[in-house]
């Protein structure tokens, strides 16, 4: 079989896994060897240096090279690590949180999605993935419904904006396709959380995230969404590590 034909089959297989299976089924396939089928397409033209711990930097500084797809996927993996950790803590803190049973069900579903996103990206990155981040949720009151939902809104809005901004950085169409499938789920999360905070309003697609003239959602650059020293309150506020992006 030619390399070109193999590449086409590889991309088709990725699409099949995402359209014919749930994400959990997808991970089960990958764990049984499916990952070996599509990994070459996901990293064609890339090496394993998309993310490195800078030996000359402080020990808590992580450098991610977004000039290649491996680094962009690690950027997404960092965000998904944080979201999965946050919602996992939320679910563990349901008792006394003031969240209704309906809200708890929604947040549990979101937790499950984020865990699957995180594990999926870890699977395809393999040895090239960044280390586990250290979450810092000290500013969140997990016994207060509003504090939980406002933080969730922050994470989901940043997640959508980050994926929107990262799309132009991806070189492989297979990677772009997978990112597009993830960001569509993140956008559903964002709309759901916004509706829980302001039920019956148009905040689910508020002017702060959707441009009324163009009808397009916001796009965020990596440093804005996750970099250190966030003036705009990015997700970098919720980790102990400092992340620096290069290209």
């Amino acid at each position: 079989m030619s390399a070109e034909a193999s590449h086409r089959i590889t991309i088709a297989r990725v699409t099949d896994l995402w359209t014919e299976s749930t994400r959990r089924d997808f991970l089960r396939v990958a764990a049984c060897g499916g990952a070996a089928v599509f990994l070459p397409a996901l990293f064609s033209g890339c090496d394993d240096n998309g993310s490195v711990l800078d030996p000359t930097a402080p020990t808590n500084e992580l450098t991610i090279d977004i000039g290649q797809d491996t680094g962009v996927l690690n950027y997404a993996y960092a965000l998904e690590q944080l979201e999965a950790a946050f919602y996992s803590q939320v679910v563990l803190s349901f008792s006394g949180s003031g969240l209704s049973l309906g809200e708890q069900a929604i947040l549990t579903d979101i937790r499950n999605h984020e865990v699957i996103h995180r594990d999926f990206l870890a699977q395809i990155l393999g040895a090239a993935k960044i280390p586990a981040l250290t979450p810092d949720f000290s500013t969140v009151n997990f016994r207060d419904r509003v504090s939980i939902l406002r933080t969730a809104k922050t994470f989901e809005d940043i997640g959508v904006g980050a994926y929107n901004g990262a799309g132009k950085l991806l070189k492989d169409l297979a990677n772009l396709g997978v990112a597009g499938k993830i960001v569509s789920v993140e956008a559903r999360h964002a709309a759901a959380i916004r509706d829980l905070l302001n039920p019956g309003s148009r905040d689910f697609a508020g002017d702060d995230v959707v441009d009324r003239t163009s009808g397009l959602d916001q796009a965020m650059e990596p440093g804005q969404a996750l970099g250190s020293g966030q003036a705009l309150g990015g997700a970098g506020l919720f980790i102990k590590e400092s992340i620096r992006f290069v290209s």
Side-chain angles (χ1 to χ4, degrees):
M1 182 182 296
S2 70
E4 180 181 357
S6 175
H7 183 72
R8 287 198 301 270
I9 292 172
T10 297
I11 294 178
R13 180 57 177 156
V14 173
T15 303
D16 290 344
L17 285 168
W18 277 86
T19 57
E20 296 178 4
S21 306
T22 64
R23 290 174 181 80
R24 186 169 287 106
D25 290 338
F26 171 80
L27 288 174
R28 189 178 300 117
V29 172
C32 293
V37 177
F38 60 82
L39 274 172
L42 288 171
F43 293 111
S44 60
C46 297
D47 58 31
D48 288 337
N49 296 320
S51 58
V52 295
L53 282 171
D54 185 349
T56 66
T59 55
N60 67 336
E61 182 173 286
L62 181 68
T63 298
I64 296 180
D65 180 1
I66 53 174
Q68 53 184 302
D69 280 18
T70 311
V72 179
L73 293 175
N74 263 311
Y75 166 41
Y77 176 52
L79 290 166
E80 298 296 350
Q81 281 192 57
L82 281 177
E83 289 184 301
F86 169 71
Y87 285 109
S88 294
Q89 184 61 50
V90 168
V91 170
L92 289 174
S93 306
F94 276 160
S95 179
S97 67
L99 293 161
S100 70
L101 291 178
E103 291 169 338
Q104 291 180 25
I106 291 171
L107 291 168
T108 299
D109 282 344
I110 294 176
R111 186 275 312 272
N112 294 343
H113 294 165
E114 303 297 5
V115 168
I116 293 168
H117 291 169
R118 179 200 64 197
D119 292 349
F120 165 71
L121 289 167
Q123 178 75 29
I124 64 173
L125 283 163
K129 69 180 181 291
I130 60 173
L133 300 178
T134 310
D136 181 1
F137 300 133
S138 58
T139 60
V140 184
N141 182 356
F142 287 97
R143 298 185 63 80
D144 179 78
R145 172 185 177 274
V146 173
S147 178
I148 291 170
L149 293 179
R150 283 180 176 171
T151 306
K153 176 182 175 180
T154 295
F155 272 122
E156 297 303 338
D157 287 349
I158 289 173
V160 174
Y163 274 98
N164 286 343
K168 66 180 183 293
L169 303 174
L170 290 167
K171 299 176 177 64
D172 191 299
L173 289 180
N175 294 343
L176 183 60
V178 170
K181 291 177 183 292
I182 294 178
V183 72
S184 66
V185 177
E186 298 291 347
R188 294 173 190 267
H189 294 170
I193 295 296
R194 283 169 164 261
D195 193 58
L196 292 181
L197 280 167
N198 295 291
S201 73
R202 57 179 300 276
D203 192 46
F204 71 93
D207 294 344
D208 56 327
V209 287
V210 178
D211 185 278
R212 297 184 67 180
T213 302
S214 67
L216 299 178
D217 209 336
Q218 68 172 340
M220 303 177 72
E221 297 299 321
Q224 180 186 9
L226 191 58
S228 58
Q230 292 300 319
L232 300 177
L237 294 173
F238 296 99
I239 56 173
K240 295 185 178 180
E241 290 81 6
S242 173
I243 296 182
R244 181 170 66 96
F245 296 96
V246 298
S247 60

